Amino acid sequence: MSNINGKVYAMNAITPMRPWKTWILRAIFFVLDHIKPLQADLINLSFIQFARWVIVPRNRFPHLDESQKQESLQYDYLLFFSNFNGTWNQYIDAFSAVLSKGLDLIWRWSEKFPGSTPVTIFKEYIARVQFDTDYYYTAYPNATANDVKSAHIVVQAVNTLSHDAQSLSPEQFRDAYLEFLISVQAHLGDTGEAPIVF
C-alpha cells in the first residue's frame, strides 16, 4: 500500500531500545516538551504536518484476549509517526540537514542508529525501520501544510472585513477592501494537483 495520499506522505518507523535507555529518552522528551524554543527547528520546517515520537515499553504491548500468549520482549520500542508534504528523500534530507542534533539526541538510544549524518547511511537506516502505512486519514490530501495555513489567514481576513464593513462608509469600505486584497494576495494561490512521485 502506498504511503502517499495526494500531497501527503505518511511515515512510520519503529526502533528497538534497551530498557535502561528508555528512562533517559523519557527525560529528554520531558525537557523538549517543556522548553518550547527547543522545538523551533522542527516547527519551522513548514512541510511537516505532524510528527510524534512514542515510547512503548516491552511489557505494555496490547494483549487482545486471554488466549493470546504474552510475549517476552528484550527491548522497549520507539515509534515515530509523521505526515509531511514532498517526497521521502526530501524529508530525510531536510531532517538530516536541519535537525541532525535533535534527531541524534532522540534516536541515539535506539539499537544500531548510525547518526543522522551522513545522510546516505541515515536513509538506509530509516528504510530498514520504516513500516508501510495501511491506513491514515488526512482532511485535505491535495493541500500542503502551507496551503492550509494560507486558507486560515484568508478566512480570518474575510471575517474581519465582513464585520468591519457594516460600520464603514462606501469610501472607507473601498479602502478597507483594497487593504484586505493586499493582505491576502500571497495566500490566494490554487492548491493544484499533487505531483507524480516515482
Side-chain angles (χ1 to χ4, degrees):
M1 171 167 275
S2 172
N3 291 353
I4 300 171
N5 183 10
K7 294 181 177 177
V8 185
Y9 188 106
M11 179 179 166
N12 308 301
I14 302 174
T15 54
M17 296 184 302
R18 296 195 180 279
W20 66 269
K21 296 179 179 178
T22 297
W23 296 104
I24 298 170
L25 188 55
R26 284 187 192 283
I28 291 169
F29 282 145
F30 180 84
V31 171
L32 291 173
D33 186 42
H34 287 82
I35 303 177
K36 299 300 182 191
L38 295 176
Q39 303 174 10
D41 286 342
L42 181 62
I43 292 170
N44 289 335
L45 290 176
S46 63
F47 59 88
I48 297 175
Q49 297 186 352
F50 172 84
R52 179 176 181 143
W53 284 269
V54 176
I55 297 170
V56 180
R58 65 193 184 285
N59 57 359
R60 300 281 301 273
F61 275 79
H63 186 238
L64 301 178
D65 64 40
E66 295 304 319
S67 66
Q68 182 183 4
K69 185 179 176 184
Q70 290 277 10
E71 295 179 279
S72 178
L73 302 173
Q74 292 183 334
Y75 296 101
D76 292 344
Y77 287 86
L78 177 63
L79 282 61
F80 175 68
F81 309 101
S82 184
N83 291 352
F84 55 89
N85 304 124
T87 67
W88 184 88
N89 276 310
Q90 292 169 331
Y91 184 70
I92 303 299
D93 286 342
F95 254 37
S96 178
V98 178
L99 301 173
S100 62
K101 290 180 183 173
L103 294 180
D104 290 347
L105 184 65
I106 292 171
W107 262 319
R108 70 177 300 166
W109 311 104
S110 293
E111 295 297 301
K112 299 183 179 179
F113 177 65
S116 59
T117 55
V119 70
T120 301
I121 296 171
F122 180 52
K123 284 180 178 179
E124 291 170 358
Y125 177 78
I126 293 297
R128 283 196 307 273
V129 298
Q130 181 178 347
F131 288 80
D132 287 339
T133 302
D134 290 330
Y135 174 82
Y136 73 98
Y137 172 79
T138 177
Y140 309 107
N142 290 318
T144 65
N146 286 332
D147 294 334
V148 175
K149 289 177 189 173
S150 288
H152 282 284
I153 290 169
V154 171
V155 166
Q156 188 173 27
V158 168
N159 289 339
T160 300
L161 178 65
S162 175
H163 176 269
D164 294 346
Q166 298 173 24
S167 61
L168 300 176
S169 68
E171 294 78 22
Q172 289 172 322
F173 178 78
R174 180 195 63 218
D175 295 341
Y177 182 73
L178 288 174
E179 187 176 317
F180 159 77
L181 287 179
I182 291 169
S183 71
V184 301
Q185 67 181 350
H187 303 286
L188 296 176
D190 183 6
T191 57
E193 295 294 321
I196 297 172
V197 179
F198 297 101

